[in-house]
Amino acid sequence: MRKTILLYALLLALLIFLLKVLEYKFFVRDLSLEFYIGVVALLFTGLGIWVGLKLTRKRNPMPPPAVGSFVPNESALQQIGISPREYEVLEGMAQGFSNQEIADKLFLSINTVKTHTSNLFTKLDARRRTQAIQKAKALGLIP
Amino acid sequence: MRKTILLYALLLALLIFLLKVLEYKFFVRDLSLEFYIGVVALLFTGLGIWVGLKLTRKRNPMPPPAVGSFVPNESALQQIGISPREYEVLEGMAQGFSNQEIADKLFLSINTVKTHTSNLFTKLDARRRTQAIQKAKALGLIP
DNA sequence: ATCAGAATCATACTTTTGGGTGAAAGCATT
DNA sequence: AATGCTTTCACCCAAAAGTATGATTCTGAT
């Protein structure tokens, strides 16, 4: 979060700096207003989308299993108390990804993924990821 | 979220204010450009966030799969060249056992199990046991 | 306003896995 | 007997996984 804001501030500063430089170097002031507004609008729309995504954690999920979608057993999920984010990690695990790969996919640090996996192991009463996968399958949590 | 946006606004205001101060110290220029940039940036950041949220709000699970009894795909097994012993190790892996546990079950040393797993990874083109399990399942080698 | 839960990340440490190499013994088949 | 395949085991090293603990931030509910 702090990082995000810092990055935002940095980008903003950079943008304004660039505009300033352009302004001083080429005197493009006359035809500039609409141009500036356009550029700034575009940039900040993109930035806003990025920030929105970052903030609301609605990231792109794992690559889907090739055939036939699957309906997880919601009641079992809730009974065990597996959170949405944990479930995403579980999916990655079951698809054979390493913690690092899952972290990359979900835009997390590997430490966070480890935390999620640890919690999953506790909730699923497993000691290894393979065991967790096996149990999750048995419970109809994953395909 | 609210705090974040407020912070953005604050940072933006601060930045522009600083720019203004700097500007006044050297050249006295037209004020409107930065003002416009600020306004447009804010507006479009908000817009971007809104769009981002709009775009990521979607949920659409689909129909359930079918389940059947399992018969290992012998032809695939032979094609890949998985030996009987390797298959036993694969089964143990898929059931969530550690190498040590598999070794105990099959009365082997852990080293032997490791050799088998290594060979399995090569044959299944996998880097992790979870991946091997996933691939073996996809090939109909295991349930 | 407080409080519980998610979710995020870190650091330090231990255990398990995985990769590479080598090698011995048993077995079928040629 | 020589060949090839399987099975067995060892050792070393590196990478990944797992454990424990603590902390921060944000959200939703009370």
Side-chain angles (χ1 to χ4, degrees):
Chain A
M1 183 45 128
R2 193 158 293 150
K3 259 189 261 172
T4 308
I5 293 175
L6 275 176
L7 233 167
Y8 184 91
L10 227 106
L11 279 171
L12 193 72
L14 194 77
L15 172 67
I16 291 177
F17 174 71
L18 282 177
L19 284 177
K20 278 287 158 199
V21 169
L22 271 179
E23 186 179 326
Y24 277 115
K25 287 250 161 161
F26 305 110
F27 304 103
V28 283
R29 247 167 139 37
D30 352 25
L31 47 108
S32 63
L33 195 55
E34 284 81 6
F35 175 72
Y36 283 163
I37 288 180
V39 168
V40 171
L42 269 178
L43 272 171
F44 278 84
T45 298
L47 209 61
I49 289 175
W50 175 69
V51 167
L53 289 176
K54 186 84 183 166
L55 257 45
T56 55
R57 300 271 144 228
K58 250 316 170 204
R59 288 283 164 180
N60 50 346
M62 300 284 163
V67 206
S69 258
F70 168 81
V71 179
N73 183 344
E74 289 293 344
S75 77
L77 273 177
Q78 288 198 314
Q79 211 163 352
I80 302 171
I82 291 179
S83 75
R85 207 51 166 168
E86 282 164 359
Y87 185 76
E88 290 185 82
V89 171
L90 178 59
E91 287 179 309
M93 245 195 294
Q95 281 159 41
F97 294 113
S98 69
N99 285 338
Q100 185 58 64
E101 287 170 337
I102 295 171
D104 291 343
K105 265 174 218 295
L106 299 179
F107 297 96
L108 297 175
S109 94
I110 196 176
N111 299 298
T112 307
V113 176
K114 282 183 174 193
T115 302
H116 287 319
T117 55
S118 260
N119 292 334
L120 279 168
F121 295 155
T122 303
K123 289 172 183 176
L124 289 169
D125 190 27
R127 267 148 222 88
R128 285 167 285 287
R129 47 180 44 214
T130 46
Q131 203 176 10
I133 293 166
Q134 201 277 324
K135 293 207 174 191
K137 273 178 208 272
L139 288 167
L141 267 36
I142 50 177
Chain B
M1 183 60 151
R2 195 160 302 140
K3 261 189 229 170
T4 309
I5 293 177
L6 276 173
L7 242 166
Y8 282 1
L10 232 101
L11 274 170
L12 220 142
L14 195 79
L15 253 166
I16 291 176
F17 174 71
L18 282 176
L19 270 174
K20 291 275 94 178
V21 170
L22 280 178
E23 192 176 325
Y24 270 120
K25 283 220 164 156
F26 304 108
F27 301 87
V28 182
R29 286 180 146 273
D30 186 271
L31 288 181
S32 61
L33 188 57
E34 287 76 21
F35 177 73
Y36 281 133
I37 289 178
V39 168
V40 170
L42 267 181
L43 276 174
F44 280 85
T45 298
L47 181 73
I49 289 176
W50 178 73
V51 169
L53 289 179
K54 243 343 188 219
L55 285 176
T56 51
R57 286 301 178 219
K58 56 184 174 167
R59 280 291 89 150
N60 48 348
M62 286 308 264
V67 191
S69 63
F70 174 78
V71 178
N73 184 343
E74 288 295 343
S75 79
L77 273 177
Q78 288 197 316
Q79 208 163 354
I80 301 172
I82 291 180
S83 75
R85 207 53 166 166
E86 283 164 357
Y87 186 76
E88 291 186 82
V89 172
L90 179 59
E91 286 180 310
M93 242 194 299
Q95 281 159 39
F97 295 114
S98 70
N99 286 338
Q100 185 58 66
E101 287 169 336
I102 295 171
D104 293 343
K105 260 176 220 299
L106 300 179
F107 299 99
L108 297 175
S109 95
I110 195 177
N111 299 298
T112 307
V113 176
K114 281 184 173 191
T115 303
H116 288 319
T117 56
S118 259
N119 292 336
L120 279 168
F121 294 155
T122 303
K123 289 173 182 177
L124 288 169
D125 189 29
R127 304 191 155 265
R128 284 169 284 288
R129 50 181 41 214
T130 47
Q131 205 177 10
I133 293 166
Q134 200 274 327
K135 292 208 176 192
K137 273 175 205 276
L139 289 167
L141 268 37
I142 50 177

